Amino acid sequence: MTLRSDTTDGVLRLTLDRADKKNALDQGMYRGLAAALTRAGDDPAVRVAIIDGAGDVFCAGNDIADFQSGALKGLDGPIGDFLWAISTFPKPLIGAVHGAAVGIGVTMLLHCDLVYAAAGTKFVLPFVNLALVPEAASTVLLPGLMGHQRAAELLFFGDRFTAEHAERVGIVNAVVPSDALADHVDERARALADKPLRSLVTTKNLLKKRDWDAVHRAMKSEAEFFVAGLGAPEAREAFAAFFERRAPDFRQFS
Ligand code: COA
């Protein structure tokens, strides 16, 4: 099982559990997340959901082996189902991150309502360094949070940034000591579970509906460029370089 699910006292906790691959998301995990979120949206026993990760890292992004294999065909499939489910999840959704959050491990947080990070968590948006483009509507959600220049800096360079920077630019609500993250998130989730659900759901809907069309349009057009880019020689070089633990050589391509 690479995705654990537990509901206690109205709080659903979805835990990415593929620690040997730093919780890199494969097709089965996307499928599991999409199904769990879709079910939870309609389940009266769930009032709040949390996504967190097992092991020493929250999520290392999409499984790069799936980029290489040609398994990704666009939004028709498990990734598209996951993006739809997380972006339309009607109830409060909390991201709890520690260690590292990379690629979709960051962009999925843009669809959470609240995000808490353990001190020391590193964030990376490596799409350009993989010769790809950003996804999950991050090309509209990131500039919406922090402005064009700061979003461009994170996306163009793909450098690691700290949890404190993520908090400053609005990706994260608060940075908490590593050993306090689970308790802090539990406390916040229980506090929300005690509130009137219908009011929370309507508030979330009112907050999100302004951007609804732009978010789903962006997901669609990003996915077209993303899938087209997967087969490009620059991307093949970047994927090979990751597994060979070396820097990619993009200068060989004109
Ligand atoms: N896809 C596939 N495998 C991945 C992976 C990914 N996204 N991220 C990590 N792994 C695998 C590694 O290949 C390694 O496998 P191995 O033990 O069989 O060699 C294992 O997970 C451990 O990773 P490693 O890099 O050795 O761990 P680390 O602690 O040194 O670094 C990270 C952890 C998260 C910083 C690093 O793995 C990383 O940057 N991964 C992200 C890759 C990426 O660019 N993802 C975005 C895709 S859009």
Side-chain angles (χ1 to χ4, degrees):
M1 271 309 247
T2 47
L3 180 68
R4 281 191 276 123
S5 164
D6 170 75
T7 302
T8 306
D9 293 338
V11 178
L12 166 68
R13 181 181 289 275
L14 293 171
T15 301
L16 311 176
D17 192 6
R18 193 186 177 211
D20 61 325
K21 296 292 178 193
K22 306 291 172 183
N23 296 332
L25 297 176
D26 62 17
Q27 301 291 288
M29 291 165 84
Y30 284 118
R31 217 174 279 120
L33 283 164
L37 287 169
T38 304
R39 249 191 335 265
D42 292 329
D43 183 352
V46 175
R47 302 172 72 82
V48 181
I50 299 169
I51 299 182
D52 64 9
D56 59 0
V57 154
F58 168 64
C59 177
N62 201 98
D63 190 318
I64 291 181
D66 286 349
F67 286 164
Q68 288 179 310
S69 71
L72 307 189
K73 303 286 183 217
L75 292 181
D76 293 331
I79 298 185
D81 294 346
F82 165 65
L83 291 179
W84 181 262
I86 194 169
S87 62
T88 60
F89 186 65
K91 299 172 184 175
L93 181 60
I94 303 178
V97 305
H98 70 287
V102 185
I104 200 160
V106 180
T107 57
M108 75 164 82
L109 303 176
L110 307 173
H111 298 280
C112 294
D113 303 297
L114 300 164
V115 180
Y116 299 104
T121 306
K122 300 287 181 236
F123 294 76
V124 197
L125 292 161
F127 305 107
V128 167
N129 293 338
L130 292 168
L132 297 172
V133 298
E135 30 72 322
S138 55
T139 56
V140 300
L141 293 172
L142 283 171
L145 273 180
M146 62 189 74
H148 174 84
Q149 279 80 357
R150 285 192 287 189
E153 189 168 46
L154 297 182
L155 290 170
F156 286 4
F157 292 104
D159 291 334
R160 287 179 173 204
F161 54 102
T162 62
E164 289 72 20
H165 189 72
E167 184 181 7
R168 264 194 308 277
V169 295
I171 296 173
V172 158
N173 289 81
V175 181
V176 297
S178 192
D179 57 2
L181 179 69
D183 284 350
H184 182 76
V185 169
D186 278 350
E187 183 279 319
R188 294 283 74 191
R190 275 199 305 273
L192 285 176
D194 287 339
K195 293 191 186 293
L197 179 59
R198 212 172 330 149
S199 182
L200 283 173
V201 166
T202 306
T203 300
K204 174 165 179 169
N205 187 258
L206 290 167
L207 279 168
K208 295 196 88 174
K209 82 174 186 193
R210 191 192 52 167
D211 294 333
W212 174 264
D213 287 340
V215 162
H216 290 100
R217 263 199 316 273
M219 268 180 197
K220 199 162 171 278
S221 64
E222 290 165 355
E224 283 163 17
F225 287 107
F226 198 102
V227 171
L230 286 170
E234 292 89 338
R236 315 299 293 175
E237 162 66 5
F239 307 151
F242 173 74
F243 287 119
E244 291 161 18
R245 297 178 184 267
R246 62 173 173 82
D249 171 15
F250 294 125
R251 290 198 181 234
Q252 63 183 297
F253 307 109
S254 51

